[in-house]
Amino acid sequence: RKEVEQDPGPFNVPEGATVAFNCTYSNSASQSFFWYRQDCRKEPKLLMSVYSSGNEDGRFTAQLNRASQYISLLIRDSKLSDSATYLCAPNGNKLSFGAGTTVTVRA
Amino acid sequence: DAGVIQSPRHEVTEMGQEVTLRCKPISGHNSLFWYRQTMMRGLELLIYFNNNVPIDDSGMPEDRFSAKMPNASFSTLKIQPSEPRDSAVYFCASRGGVREKLFFGSGTQLSVL
């Protein structure tokens, strides 16, 4: 089993819609997580850090389900500018990322 | 702060040539990571250093790949000899501690013909 697995998508949604996707992890000892956003041909940039059961930052909500070992990201009222690939990584000494989930928001 | 600085931004070379990618981490950061990204494999961790010491190089694909960190402000990733399947974007990233977030450089787009 891979350390981190993500649904690659793509998720194609209209502006204003809500979109959510998951990231599963294999190490049950993982305590905190990162969500990064990557635009085409650019470097990944931090979107959110998640240290407990979840975190909310504006239109973005991350929720952690330790029993099932996954972390989700929900985007409310999606904007065209939310179109990107979203990468997750359990925090630790070794930072391995999932392959990413691609989201496309259409007008 | 200048952020993580990588050079070159683009590298085009011929199969069999040696390629050296360079990275300057953010000052004060004690961990440095090298990643490779392709459409097929996503973002793969190649190797990471703590306090200039290589900790885990299990992601390095072959002996053709080597990485060094001679001091806290500089690291190199070398491929010798290069092959067309090495074509990818190579990212360097650094952070200040285990619970700290990771900052990425702009990447090096490598094309091996």
Side-chain angles (χ1 to χ4, degrees):
Chain A
R1 183 182 175 184
K2 289 184 179 179
E3 291 183 57
V4 187
E5 295 195 69
Q6 295 185 249
D7 183 341
F11 288 80
N12 192 327
V13 300
E15 267 188 297
T18 296
V19 60
F21 41 89
N22 294 337
C23 166
T24 59
Y25 58 94
S26 61
N27 184 356
S28 60
S30 297
Q31 295 293 311
S32 59
F33 301 83
F34 295 122
W35 277 107
Y36 276 74
R37 171 203 168 113
Q38 185 175 26
D39 294 302
C40 187
R41 299 185 182 278
K42 296 288 185 71
E43 71 273 22
K45 293 184 178 179
L46 183 70
L47 177 68
M48 306 180 70
S49 302
V50 185
Y51 293 105
S52 57
S53 61
N55 192 17
E56 184 172 328
D57 183 3
R59 298 181 294 106
F60 296 83
T61 300
Q63 288 191 317
L64 175 59
N65 185 317
R66 293 189 189 277
S68 300
Q69 293 184 212
Y70 72 85
I71 183 165
S72 63
L73 183 66
L74 183 146
I75 308 173
R76 287 185 299 277
D77 187 24
S78 55
K79 312 291 184 190
L80 294 176
S81 58
D82 295 333
S83 298
T85 296
Y86 293 84
L87 304 162
C88 73
N91 195 4
N93 291 321
K94 178 178 177 179
L95 270 178
S96 294
F97 285 83
T101 296
T102 298
V103 173
T104 301
V105 181
R106 62 181 189 274
Chain B
D1 195 330
V4 178
I5 300 173
Q6 290 187 247
S7 63
R9 289 296 304 274
H10 303 276
E11 175 82 27
V12 180
T13 190
E14 292 185 344
M15 183 173 64
Q17 296 298 306
E18 177 178 295
V19 174
T20 299
L21 311 181
R22 298 172 176 79
C23 176
K24 176 179 170 57
I26 292 173
S27 177
H29 282 190
N30 59 10
S31 295
L32 183 142
F33 298 73
W34 281 102
Y35 293 89
R36 175 174 71 174
Q37 188 172 40
T38 62
M39 288 290 292
M40 291 296 295
R41 294 176 173 269
L43 191 63
E44 300 175 278
L45 176 63
L46 300 177
I47 184 171
Y48 75 96
F49 297 81
N50 281 348
N51 297 314
N52 312 339
V53 177
I55 303 300
D56 188 335
D57 66 354
S58 59
M60 297 285 261
E62 299 171 38
D63 291 344
R64 298 184 296 107
F65 286 70
S66 62
K68 293 182 179 179
M69 193 165 185
N71 57 63
S73 59
F74 184 65
S75 178
T76 59
L77 177 67
K78 186 175 293 186
I79 308 173
Q80 166 63 21
S82 58
E83 296 183 3
R85 59 196 169 115
D86 301 331
S87 298
V89 179
Y90 291 81
F91 287 107
C92 174
S94 70
R95 66 177 178 177
V98 175
R99 283 190 167 271
E100 300 295 316
K101 63 183 180 182
L102 202 59
F103 292 84
F104 284 82
S106 299
T108 295
Q109 173 75 60
L110 174 64
S111 298
V112 183
L113 307 178

